[in-house]
Amino acid sequence: MSQELYTGMEKAPQRAMLKALGLTDEELNKPLIAVISSRSDIVPGHMHLDEIADAVKRGICAGGCTPVTLPSISVCDGIAAGGAGLRYSLPTRELIADSVETMLISHGFDGAVFIPNSKNAVAGMLMGAARVNIPSVFVTGGPMESGILNGKKIGFASLYEGVGNVKRGSVSLDELTNAEAIACSAAGSANGMYAANPLGCVLEALGMALAGNGTAPAIGSERTRIAKTSGLCVCDLVRNAETPKMILNKRAFTNALRLDSALGGSAGTVLHLMAVAAECNIPLNLDYVQTVSSATPTLVSLQPYGEADMADFHRAGGVQAVLHELAKSNLIDGSLRTVSGSSLSDLYEHAHVKDSAVIHKIDNPIATGGIAVLKGNLAEMGALAKRTNASKGTISGKAKCFDREEDAVEAIYSGRIKKGDVVVIRYEGPKGGPGMREMIAAAAAIVGMGLEDDVAIVTDGRISGVTRGTVIGHVCPEAADGGKIALVKDGDIIKIDIAGGKVSLEVPAKELQARQKKLRPKDPNATGWLLRYQNLVTTAAEGAVLKKKF
């Protein structure tokens, strides 16, 4: 692409602009590689990405190509959580994909290395890479180390639950303040299997990142070597004209779903994989997700559900060791190509479990089916739950309804939520939010107040990787689309059967029909570009992508 844009006498004006950047004729005669980084001073996971970008650029130069750095936005979900700002988080996925398309095509790049470290940035860049379809490699910023408090590993999730512990008197304010200064220890994504980490791992299974990408610590020479090698690899991909859509086929997405389930399951990863698959014109639906998940053993349980963290997982063998275990039961297609130039099996064949307390062997799984897809009259198109972190598989309780997360959190902390309640949080879906916020604060409040074994959440919002307890999210149709979650009244009985894949509202159909006639959906009063997003976004069951035709 670059040679078409910059070669020939007629292109002297364009070359002049590039020479204003300090580029030489020798550099312009080489393939031009975009290095797209979401580096910023406001996101802990991104504050070190300039160092990774520099390593990538050195690899690109060593590979005989010319690197050029480009910026990308990214919202910190941890900072925005619980407030209006989180409405922008998922929608930025579309902005990022659009900006990738814009910058790569406008400037005639021959290849790209993407450096994200948040889940929405990973997904948005993947969507953009698939859309433009030039040779691409991903290298994320990696996870941070855990903080240590009183000999125990803590992280971002500990703080949310700590707020509830203070409110019920089991932890002092001084203890929470001490934890606040220690929990997020340095640069990197969060320390457990949440935030960017599930997608960073899934990139390995997709074949779009090198081995170790998902787990190597954010700060250290291994991350630097992965970055340099990624720069070298993109040059080889350019020479061989290997593009993302040659790697991202249906079998690659199946491998990714397998890994996600083996790691305990991430509802966010499901949402994002569906969106990336849509860019590749590959159909993925919740029924297929359920088929893959229900046949996949869970081999890893990290924080916030288990004691081990990402550093422990890395030392135990990381993603490649998990893939090797899954391959023993023919659950992984190892024949697929990766950006390394080798097949997936070439990467994992020499990886082995080094600590079976962190990565279980295939013949001794923790459970089966990390993600559960639930359907019923309350979620006719489907809903998602994390099977491995649900406190109870079956719950029947009285609904307590809220039209936004903040009201639910206030009710939980004020003691108005009791054992046996099912907290319904609606109008938080892709359209209703708009933006489909994660219900981090509400779920953490329930845990902090000691109610995780006795209270469930049902929401059309997102499930965060931080959440523990019985949380049913991504309910479709959402309230803003006239879904039956909008018809629930306080005191209605809701039955949840995670093993059976059902979530139902125990109200007679005739009564629901009468409520439907009287329903006046809540107006979210969206403004700015979120108003456009609200009018174009599809359902969570379709990945919450934007409509292609309208």
Side-chain angles (χ1 to χ4, degrees):
M1 289 175 67
S2 66
Q3 295 307 303
E4 294 176 11
L5 195 59
Y6 304 128
T7 299
M9 180 271 293
E10 297 85 355
K11 302 299 182 181
Q14 286 88 342
R15 289 195 298 275
M17 296 295 288
L18 294 174
K19 288 180 178 179
L21 302 173
L23 294 176
T24 65
D25 286 326
E26 182 182 29
E27 288 174 308
L28 293 178
N29 287 329
K30 298 175 181 178
L32 202 62
I33 309 298
V35 180
I36 303 179
S37 167
S38 55
R39 194 266 174 204
S40 75
D41 285 336
I42 192 62
V43 186
H46 297 175
M47 64 182 181
H48 66 304
L49 296 188
D50 51 353
E51 299 170 13
I52 293 176
D54 285 343
V56 168
K57 290 163 73 175
R58 292 197 293 275
I60 290 171
C61 290
C65 297
T66 300
V68 177
T69 305
L70 304 176
S72 173
I73 65 168
S74 184
V75 170
C76 179
D77 286 11
I79 294 174
L86 196 58
R87 291 194 176 95
Y88 288 87
S89 177
L90 178 63
T92 60
R93 189 182 69 180
E94 311 302 322
L95 291 184
I96 292 167
D98 291 348
S99 64
V100 166
E101 174 189 357
T102 300
M103 295 300 285
L104 293 184
I105 293 178
S106 296
H107 301 101
F109 285 101
D110 299 292
V113 178
F114 295 90
I115 311 175
N117 212 28
S118 67
K119 51 186 174 290
N120 296 308
V122 173
M125 289 182 183
L126 267 173
M127 291 165 69
R131 192 182 300 173
V132 178
N133 200 34
I134 61 173
S136 301
V137 179
F138 280 70
V139 50
T140 56
M144 69 173 65
E145 298 281 349
S146 295
I148 304 295
L149 183 64
N150 300 324
K152 182 180 179 181
K153 293 176 181 177
I154 62 171
F156 171 73
S158 310
L159 273 296
Y160 261 106
E161 295 173 5
V163 172
N165 291 332
V166 170
K167 287 183 179 289
R168 69 183 175 115
S170 62
V171 169
S172 72
L173 180 58
D174 285 344
E175 288 175 297
L176 179 64
T177 302
N178 289 337
E180 173 188 321
I182 294 170
C184 297
S185 60
S189 53
N191 67 324
M193 193 51 72
Y194 46 89
N197 295 327
L199 274 177
C201 293
V202 159
L203 284 168
E204 294 187 43
L206 281 173
M208 291 300 296
L210 301 183
N213 173 77
T215 57
I219 304 299
S221 58
E222 185 173 3
R223 178 65 51 181
T224 302
R225 291 193 298 272
I226 290 172
K228 285 183 180 178
T229 307
S230 297
L232 287 166
C233 286
V234 77
C235 297
D236 290 335
L237 293 173
V238 168
R239 280 187 281 271
N240 296 326
E242 292 188 66
T243 63
K245 286 185 179 178
M246 294 179 180
I247 295 171
L248 295 172
N249 55 37
K250 181 69 173 286
R251 292 175 294 161
F253 283 101
T254 302
N255 282 346
L257 289 170
R258 290 264 188 232
L259 177 69
D260 182 58
S261 190
L263 297 180
S266 166
T269 298
V270 170
L271 189 76
H272 293 314
L273 284 175
M274 293 175 75
V276 178
E279 289 289 349
C280 299
N281 297 315
I282 295 171
L284 276 188
N285 57 42
L286 292 180
D287 290 337
Y288 188 71
V289 170
Q290 181 63 75
T291 297
V292 173
S293 179
S294 62
T296 305
T298 299
L299 304 180
V300 180
S301 179
L302 304 184
Q303 290 195 17
Y305 321 112
E307 294 297 320
D309 62 8
M310 291 299 294
D312 294 324
F313 181 35
H314 184 64
R315 287 188 289 267
V319 169
Q320 298 301 318
V322 175
L323 294 175
H324 195 177
E325 288 300 309
L326 293 173
K328 291 178 181 178
S329 293
N330 297 315
L331 293 174
I332 289 292
D333 187 339
S335 68
L336 301 184
R337 293 278 292 175
T338 72
V339 293
S340 71
S342 302
S343 69
L344 191 60
S345 61
D346 287 337
L347 300 182
Y348 65 63
E349 66 176 344
H350 299 298
H352 300 284
V353 175
K354 300 173 184 176
D355 186 346
S356 58
V358 177
I359 302 174
H360 286 228
K361 296 294 188 72
I362 193 71
D363 57 0
N364 182 35
I366 298 168
T368 298
I371 284 290
V373 176
L374 283 64
K375 292 189 176 181
N377 69 340
L378 197 53
E380 293 163 318
M381 295 174 67
L384 296 178
K386 290 191 68 169
R387 196 186 303 267
T388 48
N389 74 321
S391 302
K392 292 182 179 179
T394 304
I395 286 181
S396 179
K398 292 183 178 181
K400 291 283 183 70
C401 300
F402 305 92
D403 288 350
R404 63 177 193 147
E405 186 191 26
E406 290 89 339
D407 295 335
V409 171
E410 192 277 328
I412 295 165
Y413 284 147
S414 67
R416 289 186 284 131
I417 302 301
K418 308 294 185 183
K419 290 183 178 182
D421 287 342
V422 176
V423 176
V424 176
I425 309 175
R426 58 199 176 195
Y427 294 103
E428 291 283 9
K431 292 182 181 179
M436 202 179 184
R437 293 190 295 177
E438 292 180 328
M439 300 294 101
I440 301 175
I446 285 173
V447 174
M449 296 295 284
L451 295 170
E452 65 177 296
D453 293 333
D454 303 292
V455 172
I457 292 178
V458 175
T459 178
D460 52 11
R462 280 188 291 163
I463 303 175
S464 168
V466 174
T467 59
R468 291 193 290 146
T470 304
V471 183
I472 312 301
H474 302 221
V475 169
C476 288
E478 62 174 293
D481 257 349
K484 289 188 173 59
I485 190 171
L487 306 180
V488 184
K489 292 184 177 181
D490 286 354
D492 287 347
I493 300 298
I494 292 176
K495 288 188 177 180
I496 298 167
D497 179 3
I498 292 178
K502 294 180 180 179
V503 55
S504 56
L505 177 61
E506 300 297 295
V507 174
K510 193 171 183 180
E511 169 62 17
L512 290 178
Q513 289 172 1
R515 293 183 189 180
Q516 189 83 52
K517 291 178 181 178
K518 297 178 182 178
L519 179 65
R520 298 295 181 267
K522 173 176 168 279
D523 184 358
N525 295 314
T527 59
W529 66 270
L530 284 184
L531 180 59
R532 297 197 302 274
Y533 178 84
Q534 180 187 49
N535 285 301
L536 294 175
V537 71
T538 60
T539 70
E542 299 167 275
V545 298
L546 299 186
K547 298 173 184 175
K548 294 189 184 303
K549 295 181 179 180
F550 47 88

